[in-house]
Amino acid sequence: MEALHVVSALLMFSGVFFMIAGALGIIRFPDFYTRLHAAGKCDTLGEVLIILGFMVYEGFSFLSVKLLFLSFFILLANPVGTHALIKAAYLTGVKMWKKEESR
Amino acid sequence: MEMLDVFLAVGILITVSILMTMYRVFRGPTTLDRLMATSVIGTKVVVLLVVIGYLFERPIFIDIPLTYAMLNFVGTLIVAKYIERGELWKPYT
């Protein structure tokens, strides 16, 4: 394997680690808002890291520009969707979690 | 370890994280939990489609994840707006 392939494999595996950590947070957190916190940050970072790994593997070409557009769109669209969801939850009155309550 | 093995391992691990997120789809207490989990699964599937395109050595299929990302984003926004207001379009009074 070349050096650039090692760098792209490292980027991809770090992205997979962040995605699995986000999924674990979605399962384990007690509240809707905290679950959305886990889903909004970990997944965005993981997907952008994986696509960055593919860009390093591809080199400088037309496909790499398309992958850059895809990662930029994910980086722009995922927080907007998270914000819309949390605004809908707050306006319709989803209860927040207090420390004494059970999960 | 070839590069295709790395792609296969990354695809399998993304599938495992999708299956972990499916738990929240089946057993979410509110509707917004299920909507959030389906949105997260959609953005994971975008990356999974890129991985599958490189795994089958047809990386020109990158157009399909681009379109799917836009459709997933619009669907999430529309359903969140519908839950927030109770209707999609209100005429001027």
Side-chain angles (χ1 to χ4, degrees), chain A residues 13 16 20, chain B residues 4-20 48 51-52 55:
Chain A
F13 279 123
V16 159
I20 286 183
Chain B
L4 285 182
D5 298 338
V6 175
F7 293 159
L8 189 62
V10 167
I12 288 172
L13 287 174
I14 291 174
T15 312
V16 167
S17 81
I18 286 176
L19 288 179
M20 285 163 72
L48 189 61
V51 174
I52 285 172
L55 197 59

Side-chain angles (χ1 to χ4, degrees), chain B residues 14-16 19-20 24 26-27 29-30 36 39-41 44 48 57-58 64 66 75 79 83:
Chain B
I14 291 174
T15 312
V16 167
L19 288 179
M20 285 163 72
R24 194 47 76 186
F26 285 129
R27 197 194 159 274
T30 64
M36 177 264 292
S39 164
V40 168
I41 284 175
K44 283 182 203 302
L48 189 61
E57 294 172 345
R58 301 260 198 285
I64 303 170
L66 270 168
V79 180
I83 288 174

Side-chain angles (χ1 to χ4, degrees), chain A residues 1 27 35 43 58 66, chain B residues 1 24 33 44 54 63:
Chain A
M1 289 173 72
I27 289 179
R35 271 176 225 145
D43 281 326
E58 181 67 32
K66 274 185 183 176
Chain B
M1 193 171 179
R24 194 47 76 186
D33 278 307
K44 283 182 203 302
Y54 273 91
D63 297 331

Side-chain angles (χ1 to χ4, degrees), chain A residues 12-27:
Chain A
M12 278 180 221
F13 279 123
S14 58
V16 159
F17 167 71
F18 276 112
M19 283 174 71
I20 286 183
L24 207 61
I26 289 175
I27 289 179

Side-chain angles (χ1 to χ4, degrees), chain A residues 38-96:
Chain A
K41 281 194 286 207
C42 295
D43 281 326
T44 310
L45 183 60
E47 284 144 15
V48 168
L49 276 177
I50 290 176
I51 293 176
L52 213 65
F54 277 114
M55 280 175 62
V56 171
Y57 174 73
E58 181 67 32
F60 188 75
S61 69
F62 184 61
L63 279 174
S64 151
V65 177
K66 274 185 183 176
L67 284 170
L68 182 66
F69 279 163
L70 184 59
S71 77
F72 191 72
F73 183 75
I74 285 178
L75 205 61
L76 197 68
N78 222 345
V80 175
T82 306
H83 175 255
L85 279 176
I86 210 163
K87 191 181 170 192
Y90 186 69
L91 288 182
T92 51
V94 175
K95 287 282 198 316
M96 288 189 192

